[in-house]
Amino acid sequence: MRTRPFALVAAVALLAACSSADASSSSSSSDDETKQHVDVVLDWTPNTNHSGLYIAQARGYFADAGLDVTIVEPGETSGSQLLAAGKADFAYTVAESLVPARDQGADLVSVATVIEHNTSSLISLASSGISRPRDLAGHSYGTYGSELEEALIKKLVACDGGDPSAVEFTPLASDDFRIGLTQHQFDTAWVFDAWDTIRLRDVDGLDVATIPFIDHTDCIPDWYTPLIATSRAHLDDDPAMVRAFLAAVAHGYRDAMTDPAVAVDALHAASPELDADLLTRSADYLSTRYASSPEAWGRQSSAVWTDFVDFLQDNDLADDDFDVAAAWTDDYLP
């Protein structure tokens, strides 16, 4: 579903050589030779975060815009790394990856947010008694080992009057949260409601409780996860292509908002192995959360970016002179 919170610690450098990733979807008509080729790298395997992309492909919005789009699933090399190295044109990523990438010299720019607000939560079995952040004290948190995770969890607990030093950080053996929770490998973990919570609660039938991050923005920031990024070089050298791509993708996400079944059909056609029930529930959930209205899809806020970077800087996770304004733009959205 996502680029996990450990993405912050992944090094993103301008690579001399990148490993190649397999294309998961591309148009194949004889007209492709007349269209401009565009590679888009996902942040995870296909899921409802990518609905607009797959709808735009399936309904010919890219072709109508003169683009021949190939959708690439990430391999050993992340989308951000491929983008930084000039091996891709767009990548799905997250703010907590884009900020350190820019700090390390990669001139990546967020050109659209996929979801208007963070849909992350902490999930636990209802029987654990964890219903608010301070309840994490005395319990174990399944961690990928990133500094961002630790900063967020400790801040949440402290803001709610709990003892952050009493939270046990337990390394995750895998991201199969059902096994981790039911076998008591950990008491709580960071999940994304549109996929993990729906799967565990509504598909698997577990009795779970969640602590949504968005309910605690008086303590921790909201931020964009996921988002679509490109390179500054593309913005400068081929703005027409960027605008054409984003117009087609925005059309796809507007369709996903007004008719979630379209998203289910497009994703299931591209990845038949995906569970139809999970897809349907997730598409319905996100249809009202991609944006406040279909016309507003992709729009970002200066305040959201500033607050998030401030949080990173306060925890020594971003350079003090980080240029927030250069990290994002809405200028290429339709």
Side-chain angles (χ1 to χ4, degrees), residues 283-308:
D284 287 344
Y285 173 91
L286 282 175
S287 67
T288 61
R289 291 172 173 83
Y290 287 122
S292 56
S293 69
E295 295 73 26
W297 181 84
R299 301 291 169 186
Q300 303 168 85
S301 161
S302 176
V304 169
W305 273 105
T306 298
D307 289 349
F308 180 60

Side-chain angles (χ1 to χ4, degrees), residues 75-163:
E76 292 299 317
T77 306
S78 73
S80 294
Q81 289 172 310
L82 291 169
L83 192 58
K87 304 287 186 179
D89 301 297
F90 296 92
Y92 278 71
T93 184
V94 290
E96 64 266 37
S97 288
L98 188 140
V99 171
R102 290 188 59 83
D103 272 342
Q104 294 169 24
D107 202 359
L108 309 184
V109 182
S110 174
V111 290
T113 180
V114 174
I115 304 172
E116 188 173 37
H117 297 289
N118 195 329
T119 58
S120 301
S121 282
L122 298 179
I123 196 166
S124 59
L125 296 178
S127 59
S128 71
I130 299 173
S131 62
R132 54 188 299 166
R134 69 187 184 198
D135 295 336
L136 293 173
H139 288 91
S140 59
Y141 167 80
T143 177
Y144 283 95
S146 83
E147 294 173 296
L148 175 61
E149 283 181 286
E150 185 171 352
L152 285 165
I153 298 304
K154 288 185 174 181
K155 182 71 170 178
L156 278 169
V157 174
C159 280
D160 196 34
D163 179 5

Side-chain angles (χ1 to χ4, degrees), residues 135-304:
D135 295 336
L136 293 173
H139 288 91
S140 59
Y141 167 80
T143 177
Y144 283 95
S146 83
E147 294 173 296
L148 175 61
E149 283 181 286
E150 185 171 352
L152 285 165
I153 298 304
K154 288 185 174 181
K155 182 71 170 178
L156 278 169
V157 174
C159 280
D160 196 34
D163 179 5
S165 67
V167 180
E168 178 185 350
F169 288 83
T170 302
L172 286 171
S174 76
D175 60 2
D176 188 330
F177 301 110
R178 179 181 57 82
I179 292 175
L181 288 170
T182 58
Q183 294 188 2
H184 305 292
Q185 296 173 359
F186 51 81
D187 297 317
T188 189
W190 179 345
V191 298
F192 291 83
D193 286 337
W195 199 255
D196 305 307
T197 300
I198 288 173
R199 173 160 44 196
L200 292 170
R201 182 191 61 211
D202 301 326
V203 178
D204 291 350
L206 291 183
D207 186 9
V208 296
T210 61
I211 301 173
F213 284 12
I214 200 65
D215 289 349
H216 297 278
T217 52
D218 58 333
C219 177
I220 62 172
D222 189 8
W223 74 93
Y224 298 125
T225 173
L227 54 81
I228 298 174
T230 190
S231 65
R232 172 54 60 181
H234 277 323
L235 298 181
D236 292 341
D237 299 341
D238 202 351
M241 180 275 289
V242 176
R243 288 190 173 93
F245 175 80
L246 288 175
V249 170
H251 194 171
Y253 279 103
R254 290 196 298 268
D255 288 354
M257 293 182 70
T258 57
D259 188 358
V262 173
V264 175
D265 291 342
L267 282 162
H268 205 261
S271 297
E273 72 280 3
L274 291 173
D275 181 85
D277 185 26
L278 174 59
L279 278 179
T280 299
R281 293 174 184 272
S282 180
D284 287 344
Y285 173 91
L286 282 175
S287 67
T288 61
R289 291 172 173 83
Y290 287 122
S292 56
S293 69
E295 295 73 26
W297 181 84
R299 301 291 169 186
Q300 303 168 85
S301 161
S302 176
V304 169

Side-chain angles (χ1 to χ4, degrees), residues 12-45:
V12 182
L14 297 177
L15 307 177
C18 292
S19 62
S20 61
D22 294 331
S24 66
S25 176
S26 66
S27 53
S28 58
S29 73
S30 60
D31 293 336
D32 287 351
E33 293 181 1
T34 67
K35 293 179 170 57
Q36 184 171 3
H37 186 77
V38 173
D39 286 326
V40 185
V41 186
L42 304 182
D43 54 342
W44 200 256
T45 54

